[in-house]
Amino acid sequence: MTDTVHEEAEVEEVAGVAVAATAQTAKHVLIGIDLGTCRTVIMSDQGKKALVRSVAGYAKDIISKGVVGDAPLFGDEAVAKRNFLDLCYPLADGVIREASERDYLAASQLLEHVVAMVRENEDVEVSGIIGVPARASMMNKELLLGIAQNIMKKALVVSEPFMVAYFLGKLCDCIVVDIGGGTIDICAMKGELPSAEDQVTIFKAGDYIDERLAGAISRRHPTAQVTKSVACKIKEAHAFVGEPVSPVRVTLRAEGKPMEFDVTRELRMVCESIVPDIVEQLQMLIQRFDPEVQEITLQNIILAGGGSRINGLDTMIAEHLREYGRIKVTCVDDPDYIGAGGALKLAKDVPAEQWKHVGVMFGGQ
Ligand SMILES: Nc1ncnc2c1ncn2[C@@H]1O[C@H](COP(=O)(O)OP(=O)(O)OP(=O)(O)O)[C@@H](O)[C@H]1O
Ligand SMILES: [Mg+2]
């Protein structure tokens, strides 16, 4: 994953959301934000969008300050200069770590940074919708709104998988499974705003796979040097479940030298380790639908989030639910931008005066 920013503007669609193709500077900009554990994505109604790794870096000492300056660095730039920086990943399991002031500051500076990336200039007012994990606590939503209050005029927080469903226009008879870095959020869509019982959060997602993969490869090949970040790169390049199409051989350092290792078995095992929980929660949620719509809902299971790129995951989930009848599991086309796209679409469709009926907000009348 690399940070990306798409400048300006005379476009009519950003990831499927129609936007104003205006050359004039807007006074008020609407935005959609997906604040994720791994990456923060923002889109504006002026056609700008950006994706930044959710990390802030602060100069370690006076010497580092001379190299990187006083201001915090964000995303890939922070990771690239990590030797000079203390890195802070402010979102754990998709929510701001409540106890830590440092995380609070980093989350707030990260939000300010991404908003600045799409804001035309300082005078422009920004309002928008921010996605949070399905079961984020009220305290965390309020914490986030507190941060947003310094940066935005009006802000609303809504659940992430709901934004995916909203983007797809699938508000009814559908289940969204958003497989992120910190959490897997599953949300049953029944034609109204999902209630707490319609949403589940599983705390075993991409980060969990990386950790387990690093451990599994180290056990199988004790000479290989595998950090969590190396494991993450292997996963992002080769992740799969089910029968391997071809062996996964990767080059790792062993005693300082590059060597090739076969990691097929380990990669398959760790990727498959998230399947039972997903299936169990789907089975639980499906029973809560009206029996008359269960059949159609089972053909409307949507996988989103970076983890939806695991090869074969859709097929494997469908196979596990075979006894329930005809099943269709589909992966979204653009897992990176769909959440922010849904938030922007919602912000544009629903007048800000009505946002209070959709979630927790500030700035409403
Ligand atoms: N091709 C791939 N195969 C498997 N996993 C992938 C792939 N590409 C990205 N990922 C993983 O997807 C996860 C990131 O997904 P996403 O960007 O949806 O998370 P997030 O929104 O930042 O996290 P969360 O929703 O938990 O807060 C990471 O663990 C990343 O390594
Ligand atoms: Mg996410």
Side-chain angles (χ1 to χ4, degrees), residues 4 72 98-99 112-113 120 149 154 171 178 211 214 228 231 235 239 265 287 293 295 299-300 313 325-326 340 346 356:
T4 50
E98 284 167 16
E112 202 172 341
H113 174 69
E120 319 264 306
Q149 205 145 14
K154 290 179 188 168
L171 297 178
D178 180 355
E211 227 158 78
K228 207 181 136 191
K235 175 195 73 177
R265 210 172 59 197
Q287 292 172 36
V293 300
E295 194 181 338
Q299 288 163 49
N300 250 326
L313 191 59
R326 231 158 67 86
L346 186 64
K356 58 178 178 289

PDB file of all heavy atoms in Angstrom, residues 4 72 98-99 112-113 120 149 154 171 178 211 214 228 231 235 239 265 287 293 295 299-300 313 325-326 340 346 356:
ATOM      1  N   THR A   4      -1.580   7.859  -1.464  1.00  0.00           N
ATOM      2  CA  THR A   4      -1.865   8.473  -2.753  1.00  0.00           C
ATOM      3  C   THR A   4      -2.725   9.699  -2.547  1.00  0.00           C
ATOM      4  O   THR A   4      -3.538   9.762  -1.634  1.00  0.00           O
ATOM      5  CB  THR A   4      -2.652   7.534  -3.692  1.00  0.00           C
ATOM      6  OG1 THR A   4      -3.759   7.025  -2.972  1.00  0.00           O
ATOM      7  CG2 THR A   4      -1.806   6.417  -4.213  1.00  0.00           C
ATOM      8  N   PRO A  72       5.076  16.956  12.639  1.00  0.00           N
ATOM      9  CA  PRO A  72       4.966  15.504  12.455  1.00  0.00           C
ATOM     10  C   PRO A  72       4.896  15.134  10.977  1.00  0.00           C
ATOM     11  O   PRO A  72       4.451  15.940  10.161  1.00  0.00           O
ATOM     12  CB  PRO A  72       3.642  15.160  13.153  1.00  0.00           C
ATOM     13  CG  PRO A  72       2.893  16.433  13.264  1.00  0.00           C
ATOM     14  CD  PRO A  72       3.895  17.532  13.280  1.00  0.00           C
ATOM     15  N   GLU A  98      -8.236   4.927  23.793  1.00  0.00           N
ATOM     16  CA  GLU A  98      -8.870   5.923  24.658  1.00  0.00           C
ATOM     17  C   GLU A  98      -7.942   6.480  25.738  1.00  0.00           C
ATOM     18  O   GLU A  98      -8.014   7.634  26.100  1.00  0.00           O
ATOM     19  CB  GLU A  98     -10.144   5.344  25.285  1.00  0.00           C
ATOM     20  CG  GLU A  98     -11.269   5.302  24.277  1.00  0.00           C
ATOM     21  CD  GLU A  98     -12.464   4.474  24.714  1.00  0.00           C
ATOM     22  OE1 GLU A  98     -12.563   4.166  25.907  1.00  0.00           O
ATOM     23  OE2 GLU A  98     -13.295   4.159  23.847  1.00  0.00           O
ATOM     24  N   ALA A  99      -7.052   5.611  26.226  1.00  0.00           N
ATOM     25  CA  ALA A  99      -6.298   6.021  27.405  1.00  0.00           C
ATOM     26  C   ALA A  99      -5.112   6.932  27.083  1.00  0.00           C
ATOM     27  O   ALA A  99      -4.637   7.641  27.948  1.00  0.00           O
ATOM     28  CB  ALA A  99      -5.812   4.777  28.136  1.00  0.00           C
ATOM     29  N   GLU A 112      -6.385  16.095  10.710  1.00  0.00           N
ATOM     30  CA  GLU A 112      -6.138  17.435  10.197  1.00  0.00           C
ATOM     31  C   GLU A 112      -5.345  17.367   8.883  1.00  0.00           C
ATOM     32  O   GLU A 112      -5.632  18.073   7.921  1.00  0.00           O
ATOM     33  CB  GLU A 112      -5.332  18.208  11.245  1.00  0.00           C
ATOM     34  CG  GLU A 112      -5.456  19.681  11.106  1.00  0.00           C
ATOM     35  CD  GLU A 112      -4.792  20.392  12.274  1.00  0.00           C
ATOM     36  OE1 GLU A 112      -4.560  19.768  13.335  1.00  0.00           O
ATOM     37  OE2 GLU A 112      -4.495  21.573  12.113  1.00  0.00           O
ATOM     38  N   HIS A 113      -4.369  16.472   8.864  1.00  0.00           N
ATOM     39  CA  HIS A 113      -3.522  16.310   7.680  1.00  0.00           C
ATOM     40  C   HIS A 113      -4.340  15.873   6.466  1.00  0.00           C
ATOM     41  O   HIS A 113      -4.223  16.454   5.394  1.00  0.00           O
ATOM     42  CB  HIS A 113      -2.438  15.269   8.014  1.00  0.00           C
ATOM     43  CG  HIS A 113      -1.577  14.874   6.863  1.00  0.00           C
ATOM     44  ND1 HIS A 113      -0.667  15.732   6.286  1.00  0.00           N
ATOM     45  CD2 HIS A 113      -1.492  13.718   6.163  1.00  0.00           C
ATOM     46  CE1 HIS A 113      -0.052  15.118   5.293  1.00  0.00           C
ATOM     47  NE2 HIS A 113      -0.540  13.887   5.193  1.00  0.00           N
ATOM     48  N   GLU A 120      -9.391  23.185  -0.183  1.00  0.00           N
ATOM     49  CA  GLU A 120      -8.770  24.091  -1.155  1.00  0.00           C
ATOM     50  C   GLU A 120      -7.826  25.081  -0.455  1.00  0.00           C
ATOM     51  O   GLU A 120      -6.709  25.281  -0.875  1.00  0.00           O
ATOM     52  CB  GLU A 120      -9.827  24.891  -1.899  1.00  0.00           C
ATOM     53  CG  GLU A 120     -11.037  24.087  -2.289  1.00  0.00           C
ATOM     54  CD  GLU A 120     -10.947  23.567  -3.697  1.00  0.00           C
ATOM     55  OE1 GLU A 120     -10.732  24.393  -4.578  1.00  0.00           O
ATOM     56  OE2 GLU A 120     -11.095  22.359  -3.898  1.00  0.00           O
ATOM     57  N   GLN A 149     -14.157  18.235  15.826  1.00  0.00           N
ATOM     58  CA  GLN A 149     -14.744  19.549  16.113  1.00  0.00           C
ATOM     59  C   GLN A 149     -13.760  20.693  15.861  1.00  0.00           C
ATOM     60  O   GLN A 149     -14.152  21.781  15.482  1.00  0.00           O
ATOM     61  CB  GLN A 149     -15.192  19.582  17.573  1.00  0.00           C
ATOM     62  CG  GLN A 149     -16.280  20.570  17.819  1.00  0.00           C
ATOM     63  CD  GLN A 149     -17.260  20.089  18.880  1.00  0.00           C
ATOM     64  OE1 GLN A 149     -16.962  19.140  19.602  1.00  0.00           O
ATOM     65  NE2 GLN A 149     -18.404  20.709  18.971  1.00  0.00           N
ATOM     66  N   LYS A 154     -19.259  20.612  10.648  1.00  0.00           N
ATOM     67  CA  LYS A 154     -20.233  19.617  11.111  1.00  0.00           C
ATOM     68  C   LYS A 154     -19.646  18.254  10.825  1.00  0.00           C
ATOM     69  O   LYS A 154     -19.031  18.052   9.769  1.00  0.00           O
ATOM     70  CB  LYS A 154     -21.538  19.708  10.315  1.00  0.00           C
ATOM     71  CG  LYS A 154     -22.333  20.941  10.586  1.00  0.00           C
ATOM     72  CD  LYS A 154     -23.582  20.940   9.748  1.00  0.00           C
ATOM     73  CE  LYS A 154     -24.256  22.305   9.904  1.00  0.00           C
ATOM     74  NZ  LYS A 154     -25.300  22.544   8.946  1.00  0.00           N
ATOM     75  N   LEU A 171     -29.238  -1.515   0.741  1.00  0.00           N
ATOM     76  CA  LEU A 171     -29.622  -1.191   2.112  1.00  0.00           C
ATOM     77  C   LEU A 171     -30.510  -2.265   2.714  1.00  0.00           C
ATOM     78  O   LEU A 171     -30.876  -2.213   3.882  1.00  0.00           O
ATOM     79  CB  LEU A 171     -30.335   0.165   2.131  1.00  0.00           C
ATOM     80  CG  LEU A 171     -29.456   1.322   1.673  1.00  0.00           C
ATOM     81  CD1 LEU A 171     -30.213   2.623   1.660  1.00  0.00           C
ATOM     82  CD2 LEU A 171     -28.228   1.443   2.561  1.00  0.00           C
ATOM     83  N   ASP A 178     -16.686  -6.439   6.268  1.00  0.00           N
ATOM     84  CA  ASP A 178     -15.587  -5.509   5.987  1.00  0.00           C
ATOM     85  C   ASP A 178     -14.338  -6.015   6.718  1.00  0.00           C
ATOM     86  O   ASP A 178     -14.234  -5.928   7.946  1.00  0.00           O
ATOM     87  CB  ASP A 178     -16.008  -4.112   6.483  1.00  0.00           C
ATOM     88  CG  ASP A 178     -14.934  -3.063   6.232  1.00  0.00           C
ATOM     89  OD1 ASP A 178     -13.839  -3.414   5.772  1.00  0.00           O
ATOM     90  OD2 ASP A 178     -15.193  -1.883   6.513  1.00  0.00           O
ATOM     91  N   GLU A 211       0.736 -11.194  12.210  1.00  0.00           N
ATOM     92  CA  GLU A 211       1.444 -11.685  13.389  1.00  0.00           C
ATOM     93  C   GLU A 211       1.589 -13.203  13.354  1.00  0.00           C
ATOM     94  O   GLU A 211       2.666 -13.751  13.582  1.00  0.00           O
ATOM     95  CB  GLU A 211       0.623 -11.312  14.626  1.00  0.00           C
ATOM     96  CG  GLU A 211       1.442 -10.693  15.716  1.00  0.00           C
ATOM     97  CD  GLU A 211       0.530  -9.891  16.633  1.00  0.00           C
ATOM     98  OE1 GLU A 211      -0.133 -10.535  17.457  1.00  0.00           O
ATOM     99  OE2 GLU A 211       0.461  -8.652  16.476  1.00  0.00           O
ATOM    100  N   ALA A 214       4.064 -14.338  10.590  1.00  0.00           N
ATOM    101  CA  ALA A 214       5.472 -14.169  10.984  1.00  0.00           C
ATOM    102  C   ALA A 214       5.894 -15.312  11.902  1.00  0.00           C
ATOM    103  O   ALA A 214       6.955 -15.920  11.719  1.00  0.00           O
ATOM    104  CB  ALA A 214       5.660 -12.818  11.666  1.00  0.00           C
ATOM    105  N   LYS A 228       6.842  -8.712  11.400  1.00  0.00           N
ATOM    106  CA  LYS A 228       5.415  -8.603  11.069  1.00  0.00           C
ATOM    107  C   LYS A 228       5.230  -7.844   9.758  1.00  0.00           C
ATOM    108  O   LYS A 228       4.363  -8.170   8.944  1.00  0.00           O
ATOM    109  CB  LYS A 228       4.724  -7.851  12.222  1.00  0.00           C
ATOM    110  CG  LYS A 228       3.283  -8.203  12.376  1.00  0.00           C
ATOM    111  CD  LYS A 228       2.663  -7.425  13.510  1.00  0.00           C
ATOM    112  CE  LYS A 228       1.320  -6.920  13.044  1.00  0.00           C
ATOM    113  NZ  LYS A 228       0.687  -5.955  13.892  1.00  0.00           N
ATOM    114  N   ALA A 231       5.969 -10.114   6.919  1.00  0.00           N
ATOM    115  CA  ALA A 231       4.837 -11.048   6.759  1.00  0.00           C
ATOM    116  C   ALA A 231       3.671 -10.348   6.059  1.00  0.00           C
ATOM    117  O   ALA A 231       3.002 -10.935   5.202  1.00  0.00           O
ATOM    118  CB  ALA A 231       4.403 -11.567   8.137  1.00  0.00           C
ATOM    119  N   LYS A 235       1.809 -11.471   2.668  1.00  0.00           N
ATOM    120  CA  LYS A 235       0.348 -11.650   2.623  1.00  0.00           C
ATOM    121  C   LYS A 235      -0.266 -10.822   1.507  1.00  0.00           C
ATOM    122  O   LYS A 235      -1.070 -11.334   0.718  1.00  0.00           O
ATOM    123  CB  LYS A 235      -0.241 -11.249   3.989  1.00  0.00           C
ATOM    124  CG  LYS A 235      -1.746 -11.283   4.035  1.00  0.00           C
ATOM    125  CD  LYS A 235      -2.279 -10.544   5.260  1.00  0.00           C
ATOM    126  CE  LYS A 235      -2.132  -9.037   5.092  1.00  0.00           C
ATOM    127  NZ  LYS A 235      -2.700  -8.262   6.208  1.00  0.00           N
ATOM    128  N   ALA A 239      -1.739 -13.662  -0.602  1.00  0.00           N
ATOM    129  CA  ALA A 239      -2.752 -14.264   0.293  1.00  0.00           C
ATOM    130  C   ALA A 239      -3.759 -15.131  -0.462  1.00  0.00           C
ATOM    131  O   ALA A 239      -4.263 -14.740  -1.510  1.00  0.00           O
ATOM    132  CB  ALA A 239      -3.488 -13.160   1.046  1.00  0.00           C
ATOM    133  N   ARG A 265       2.192 -23.417   2.849  1.00  0.00           N
ATOM    134  CA  ARG A 265       1.357 -24.035   3.885  1.00  0.00           C
ATOM    135  C   ARG A 265       1.013 -23.041   4.990  1.00  0.00           C
ATOM    136  O   ARG A 265      -0.126 -22.938   5.438  1.00  0.00           O
ATOM    137  CB  ARG A 265       2.125 -25.228   4.467  1.00  0.00           C
ATOM    138  CG  ARG A 265       1.216 -26.332   4.969  1.00  0.00           C
ATOM    139  CD  ARG A 265       1.992 -27.540   5.349  1.00  0.00           C
ATOM    140  NE  ARG A 265       2.962 -27.243   6.401  1.00  0.00           N
ATOM    141  CZ  ARG A 265       3.997 -28.039   6.705  1.00  0.00           C
ATOM    142  NH1 ARG A 265       4.206 -29.134   6.031  1.00  0.00           N
ATOM    143  NH2 ARG A 265       4.817 -27.723   7.670  1.00  0.00           N
ATOM    144  N   GLN A 287     -29.983 -15.793  10.733  1.00  0.00           N
ATOM    145  CA  GLN A 287     -31.186 -16.275  11.436  1.00  0.00           C
ATOM    146  C   GLN A 287     -32.070 -15.135  11.907  1.00  0.00           C
ATOM    147  O   GLN A 287     -33.233 -15.318  12.181  1.00  0.00           O
ATOM    148  CB  GLN A 287     -30.785 -17.049  12.684  1.00  0.00           C
ATOM    149  CG  GLN A 287     -30.106 -18.343  12.397  1.00  0.00           C
ATOM    150  CD  GLN A 287     -29.570 -18.954  13.675  1.00  0.00           C
ATOM    151  OE1 GLN A 287     -30.187 -18.840  14.733  1.00  0.00           O
ATOM    152  NE2 GLN A 287     -28.432 -19.598  13.581  1.00  0.00           N
ATOM    153  N   VAL A 293     -36.915 -13.479   3.694  1.00  0.00           N
ATOM    154  CA  VAL A 293     -35.844 -12.811   2.931  1.00  0.00           C
ATOM    155  C   VAL A 293     -34.478 -13.493   3.141  1.00  0.00           C
ATOM    156  O   VAL A 293     -33.478 -13.048   2.590  1.00  0.00           O
ATOM    157  CB  VAL A 293     -35.734 -11.297   3.266  1.00  0.00           C
ATOM    158  CG1 VAL A 293     -37.030 -10.581   2.958  1.00  0.00           C
ATOM    159  CG2 VAL A 293     -35.305 -11.062   4.702  1.00  0.00           C
ATOM    160  N   GLU A 295     -33.331 -16.289   2.020  1.00  0.00           N
ATOM    161  CA  GLU A 295     -32.782 -16.862   0.792  1.00  0.00           C
ATOM    162  C   GLU A 295     -32.096 -15.783  -0.062  1.00  0.00           C
ATOM    163  O   GLU A 295     -30.959 -15.955  -0.503  1.00  0.00           O
ATOM    164  CB  GLU A 295     -33.924 -17.524   0.012  1.00  0.00           C
ATOM    165  CG  GLU A 295     -33.404 -18.417  -1.090  1.00  0.00           C
ATOM    166  CD  GLU A 295     -34.543 -19.044  -1.880  1.00  0.00           C
ATOM    167  OE1 GLU A 295     -35.673 -19.132  -1.350  1.00  0.00           O
ATOM    168  OE2 GLU A 295     -34.293 -19.417  -3.031  1.00  0.00           O
ATOM    169  N   GLN A 299     -27.753 -14.571  -0.926  1.00  0.00           N
ATOM    170  CA  GLN A 299     -27.145 -14.331  -2.249  1.00  0.00           C
ATOM    171  C   GLN A 299     -26.620 -12.905  -2.366  1.00  0.00           C
ATOM    172  O   GLN A 299     -26.299 -12.429  -3.434  1.00  0.00           O
ATOM    173  CB  GLN A 299     -28.183 -14.607  -3.332  1.00  0.00           C
ATOM    174  CG  GLN A 299     -28.426 -16.106  -3.447  1.00  0.00           C
ATOM    175  CD  GLN A 299     -29.698 -16.419  -4.167  1.00  0.00           C
ATOM    176  OE1 GLN A 299     -29.930 -15.883  -5.229  1.00  0.00           O
ATOM    177  NE2 GLN A 299     -30.520 -17.257  -3.562  1.00  0.00           N
ATOM    178  N   ASN A 300     -26.593 -12.241  -1.235  1.00  0.00           N
ATOM    179  CA  ASN A 300     -26.164 -10.849  -1.185  1.00  0.00           C
ATOM    180  C   ASN A 300     -25.155 -10.632  -0.065  1.00  0.00           C
ATOM    181  O   ASN A 300     -25.304  -9.737   0.753  1.00  0.00           O
ATOM    182  CB  ASN A 300     -27.390  -9.987  -0.888  1.00  0.00           C
ATOM    183  CG  ASN A 300     -27.781  -9.163  -2.081  1.00  0.00           C
ATOM    184  OD1 ASN A 300     -26.918  -8.724  -2.839  1.00  0.00           O
ATOM    185  ND2 ASN A 300     -29.073  -8.962  -2.228  1.00  0.00           N
ATOM    186  N   LEU A 313     -11.327 -16.357  -0.887  1.00  0.00           N
ATOM    187  CA  LEU A 313     -12.090 -16.196   0.355  1.00  0.00           C
ATOM    188  C   LEU A 313     -13.600 -16.236   0.102  1.00  0.00           C
ATOM    189  O   LEU A 313     -14.355 -16.864   0.853  1.00  0.00           O
ATOM    190  CB  LEU A 313     -11.700 -14.875   1.024  1.00  0.00           C
ATOM    191  CG  LEU A 313     -12.188 -14.647   2.436  1.00  0.00           C
ATOM    192  CD1 LEU A 313     -11.686 -15.741   3.379  1.00  0.00           C
ATOM    193  CD2 LEU A 313     -11.740 -13.281   2.959  1.00  0.00           C
ATOM    194  N   GLY A 325     -28.444 -23.382   1.374  1.00  0.00           N
ATOM    195  CA  GLY A 325     -29.086 -23.189   0.058  1.00  0.00           C
ATOM    196  C   GLY A 325     -28.163 -22.447  -0.885  1.00  0.00           C
ATOM    197  O   GLY A 325     -26.934 -22.545  -0.756  1.00  0.00           O
ATOM    198  N   ARG A 326     -28.758 -21.700  -1.820  1.00  0.00           N
ATOM    199  CA  ARG A 326     -27.940 -20.989  -2.804  1.00  0.00           C
ATOM    200  C   ARG A 326     -27.256 -19.783  -2.144  1.00  0.00           C
ATOM    201  O   ARG A 326     -27.929 -18.977  -1.504  1.00  0.00           O
ATOM    202  CB  ARG A 326     -28.830 -20.507  -3.956  1.00  0.00           C
ATOM    203  CG  ARG A 326     -28.292 -20.903  -5.320  1.00  0.00           C
ATOM    204  CD  ARG A 326     -29.399 -20.914  -6.345  1.00  0.00           C
ATOM    205  NE  ARG A 326     -29.906 -19.561  -6.573  1.00  0.00           N
ATOM    206  CZ  ARG A 326     -29.375 -18.704  -7.446  1.00  0.00           C
ATOM    207  NH1 ARG A 326     -28.338 -19.056  -8.178  1.00  0.00           N
ATOM    208  NH2 ARG A 326     -29.902 -17.520  -7.621  1.00  0.00           N
ATOM    209  N   ALA A 340     -15.026   5.435   2.148  1.00  0.00           N
ATOM    210  CA  ALA A 340     -15.045   6.902   2.080  1.00  0.00           C
ATOM    211  C   ALA A 340     -16.050   7.360   1.021  1.00  0.00           C
ATOM    212  O   ALA A 340     -16.739   8.374   1.198  1.00  0.00           O
ATOM    213  CB  ALA A 340     -13.649   7.426   1.764  1.00  0.00           C
ATOM    214  N   LEU A 346     -23.429   9.581   1.238  1.00  0.00           N
ATOM    215  CA  LEU A 346     -24.421   9.822   2.288  1.00  0.00           C
ATOM    216  C   LEU A 346     -24.446  11.313   2.661  1.00  0.00           C
ATOM    217  O   LEU A 346     -25.513  11.915   2.820  1.00  0.00           O
ATOM    218  CB  LEU A 346     -24.077   8.964   3.515  1.00  0.00           C
ATOM    219  CG  LEU A 346     -25.050   8.943   4.675  1.00  0.00           C
ATOM    220  CD1 LEU A 346     -26.373   8.329   4.241  1.00  0.00           C
ATOM    221  CD2 LEU A 346     -24.484   8.132   5.843  1.00  0.00           C
ATOM    222  N   LYS A 356     -28.468  14.251  12.192  1.00  0.00           N
ATOM    223  CA  LYS A 356     -28.653  13.787  13.584  1.00  0.00           C
ATOM    224  C   LYS A 356     -29.533  12.540  13.645  1.00  0.00           C
ATOM    225  O   LYS A 356     -29.512  11.804  14.613  1.00  0.00           O
ATOM    226  CB  LYS A 356     -29.194  14.899  14.471  1.00  0.00           C
ATOM    227  CG  LYS A 356     -30.513  15.496  14.024  1.00  0.00           C
ATOM    228  CD  LYS A 356     -30.945  16.555  15.043  1.00  0.00           C
ATOM    229  CE  LYS A 356     -32.229  17.256  14.662  1.00  0.00           C
ATOM    230  NZ  LYS A 356     -32.071  18.174  13.508  1.00  0.00           N
TER     231      LYS A 356
END
